[in-house]
Amino acid sequence: MKKIIIIGGGAGGLELATDLGDKLGKNNQAEITLIDKNSYHLWKPLLHEVATGLLDEQVDNIYYASQGLQHYFQFTQGTFTNIDRENKQIIVTDHKDQTISLAYDILVIAIGSTSNDFGTPGVKEHCIFLDDQNAAIHLRETLITKFTSFCSIIDEHESIDADKIRIAIVGGGATGVELASELPHMIEAFGACGRNKMCSDLLDVSVIEATDRILPALPAKTASSITQTLQKCGIHVLTKTMITKAESDGFYPKEGDVIKADIMIWTAGVKAPDYLKEIAGLESSRSNQLMVKPTLQTTRDDNIFVIGDCAYAMQDSGRASPPTAQAAHQMAKICYENIIRILNNQSLKSFKYIDSGTIISLHDTAQGVIKLLGKNEMGVKGFLALMIHRILYRIHQASLLGLFKAIRFAIASKFMYKTKSTSIFTNRD
Ligand SMILES: Cc1cc2nc3c(=O)[nH]c(=O)nc-3n(C[C@H](O)[C@H](O)[C@H](O)COP(=O)(O)OP(=O)(O)OC[C@H]3O[C@@H](n4cnc5c(N)ncnc54)[C@H](O)[C@@H]3O)c2cc1C
């Protein structure tokens, strides 16, 4: 029986494991194994909501082992470190810290991306990155600890003359903007749990961007409108501000004074993990992504597919498909079809990225553009945009859990949103 291993149960990998399990694993046509360093999946575009307490990772997660049982794939928890292409084996450090080798006939690498500090001194030491669920939980704990100690200072001095809580986010892309937009609401929710002096006026949030505007993936008009929305919430948007180093007191721009910060967050770009750069003689891009052919097989080994953020898939436009959940989802679908085609000795399909638009969620509203059939662009704003943004997540859930279960999750989530932040923010004094 063919052995198919998928490494990384994220936006692309878990959809692929589920589809292949249902198609091949169920009838013992192939043995499907998913490897992930974590025990559960949480959709990465929701990480800023986990970090700000809006979403409880205990509610919206999917355990790989249980998903595997229901969809006929095996799950091994461990960290992938290398490939032995000659013997068709991958090397994994398992959760007991032991090195194991697993044999494959077809391998799919779907390990996503990490933050890119572009070698900026001090960033690794002083900044929080929003790379995975553990980082999001760490950021949430850091924010709550800061809010709690600030609250004690206010109570002690019976005044709110103390300095504000300064939070600086480098990177005016979707992650930085969505995270910034949630912070004023987070402190209000924290204040509503019995600390009524805590309010958004006490926050000093800056989004720092090197280029002349935030959100380069969106039209300038939409980005400007989102800038205004952020500014109305008291968030500073500092454009044309190139950060050259980070120190414990804040960010140092190329020109001008230090931007002082109590909490420093870096969301300025992504790269594939460094160890992919030279892995097993495969061809990689400048940002460590593995180069793939239109079929999503690596340029140097047809037995290895790469999907999602860690794949460099050149498009007819002369640019690679973007590192988004949208692209990871589309790649998972083509990779699924191509693996079935390999087993049936059929010719393989080419991956062509279809851009359906970009929507930025801004707490209780959203704004962006949608593209009909990947072409005609249409601006969307407000409730409609927020619904479309939410639907993207529900589509992902439906492809993992089935439509009815996804609807049940959506209904449960709707009611839980009202109580989640309360449980996260109480009993912290
Ligand atoms: C805050 C935020 C908001 C975003 N918003 C959007 C949005 O609105 N729309 C959109 O399209 N995209 C959005 N994105 C981007 C999107 O999340 C990613 O492009 C997408 O998740 C990539 O999917 P993937 O399958 O390649 O990797 P991931 O979803 O990152 O999954 C990678 C998986 O691999 C596992 N893994 C990593 N290394 C190893 C290893 N060595 N061994 C074993 N397992 C490993 C990880 O645990 C993880 O489960 C957002 C990202 C962030 C951070």
Side-chain angles (χ1 to χ4, degrees), residues 165-169 180-181 183-184 203-207 234-237:
I165 301 169
R166 298 159 304 182
I167 303 173
I169 304 169
S181 77
L183 290 169
L203 272 192
D204 182 354
V205 180
S206 305
V207 175
I235 296 164
H236 310 290
V237 179

Side-chain angles (χ1 to χ4, degrees), residues 64 71 195 198 210 212 225 268 326 355:
Y64 295 120
H71 295 275
R195 307 162 185 102
M198 295 297 283
D212 60 357
S225 165
Q326 229 186 106
D355 181 4

Side-chain angles (χ1 to χ4, degrees), residues 321-340:
S321 59
T324 62
Q326 229 186 106
H329 164 76
Q330 293 174 23
M331 285 180 174
K333 296 295 168 214
I334 292 293
C335 185
Y336 164 78
E337 285 193 41
N338 281 349
I339 289 175
I340 306 287

Side-chain angles (χ1 to χ4, degrees), residues 20-256:
L20 286 175
D22 286 342
K23 177 80 180 171
L24 303 173
K26 191 174 180 178
N27 308 316
N28 293 321
Q29 286 175 275
E31 186 185 297
I32 319 294
T33 305
L34 174 70
I35 317 271
D36 201 286
K37 58 184 178 182
N38 291 309
S39 60
Y40 68 88
H41 165 78
L42 190 69
W43 203 51
K44 207 173 172 184
L46 298 179
L47 288 185
H48 65 287
E49 297 193 5
V50 173
T52 51
L54 186 64
L55 191 124
D56 184 345
E57 68 284 355
Q58 301 295 332
V59 176
D60 271 73
N61 61 17
I62 295 175
Y63 279 93
Y64 295 120
S66 127
Q67 181 76 0
L69 271 178
Q70 291 169 56
H71 295 275
Y72 312 95
F73 65 82
Q74 295 172 18
F75 171 62
T76 299
Q77 188 172 354
T79 302
F80 154 73
T81 54
N82 212 340
I83 313 170
D84 173 356
R85 276 170 59 205
E86 211 173 307
N87 295 307
K88 288 175 122 185
Q89 290 188 339
I90 57 160
I91 318 298
V92 171
T93 307
D94 73 9
H95 62 292
K96 293 181 198 138
D97 228 14
Q98 305 209 321
T99 303
I100 52 171
S101 310
L102 299 167
Y104 65 83
D105 294 298
I106 297 174
L107 176 65
V108 183
I109 302 177
I111 55 172
S113 56
T114 59
S115 297
N116 193 347
D117 67 3
F118 303 101
T120 314
V123 170
K124 263 195 204 91
E125 293 80 4
H126 301 294
C127 296
I128 298 176
F129 303 102
L130 204 51
D131 280 345
D132 59 20
Q133 49 260 55
N134 299 327
I137 294 166
H138 168 60
L139 175 55
R140 186 179 70 210
E141 290 305 311
T142 307
L143 288 163
I144 294 176
T145 305
K146 187 75 202 167
F147 292 173
T148 308
S149 63
F150 199 82
C151 191
S152 316
I153 297 171
I154 294 175
D155 285 345
E156 215 175 287
H157 298 289
E158 288 187 2
S159 90
I160 53 167
D161 283 346
D163 281 343
K164 291 188 176 194
I165 301 169
R166 298 159 304 182
I167 303 173
I169 304 169
V170 175
T175 306
V177 168
E178 290 186 336
L179 175 65
S181 77
E182 291 296 346
L183 290 169
H185 303 280
M186 179 185 189
I187 196 168
E188 294 284 347
F190 179 81
C193 298
R195 307 162 185 102
N196 47 20
K197 287 177 196 151
M198 295 297 283
C199 64
S200 55
D201 290 347
L202 299 177
L203 272 192
D204 182 354
V205 180
S206 305
V207 175
I208 305 164
E209 168 58 42
T211 64
D212 60 357
R213 71 170 173 96
I214 59 167
L215 301 167
L218 286 173
K221 203 172 136 204
T222 314
S224 152
S225 165
I226 293 175
T227 301
Q228 285 169 22
T229 308
L230 292 178
Q231 286 166 339
K232 272 188 206 145
C233 300
I235 296 164
H236 310 290
V237 179
L238 312 176
T239 52
K240 297 186 193 156
T241 307
M242 167 70 88
I243 298 303
T244 53
K245 69 171 173 173
E247 287 196 2
S248 57
D249 60 340
F251 288 113
Y252 286 73
K254 197 169 172 192
E255 285 163 17

Side-chain angles (χ1 to χ4, degrees), residues 313-377:
M314 183 60 89
Q315 299 298 290
D316 291 344
S317 61
R319 298 171 64 182
S321 59
T324 62
Q326 229 186 106
H329 164 76
Q330 293 174 23
M331 285 180 174
K333 296 295 168 214
I334 292 293
C335 185
Y336 164 78
E337 285 193 41
N338 281 349
I339 289 175
I340 306 287
R341 282 168 175 262
I342 286 179
L343 300 184
N344 293 330
N345 292 320
Q346 292 168 325
S347 59
L348 304 194
K349 280 190 157 183
S350 290
F351 165 70
K352 281 198 171 45
Y353 172 64
I354 300 170
D355 181 4
S356 311
T358 303
I359 294 183
I360 306 298
S361 78
L362 304 160
H363 186 66
D364 53 2
T365 183
Q367 199 171 338
V369 291
I370 51 171
K371 290 190 182 173
L372 305 172
L373 300 172
K375 288 191 183 108
N376 300 335
E377 202 169 77

Side-chain angles (χ1 to χ4, degrees), residues 24 136 197 248 268 275 279 297 341 355 384 386 421:
L24 303 173
K197 287 177 196 151
S248 57
Y275 64 89
I279 203 159
Q297 291 158 301
R341 282 168 175 262
D355 181 4
L384 174 66
L386 193 62
S421 52

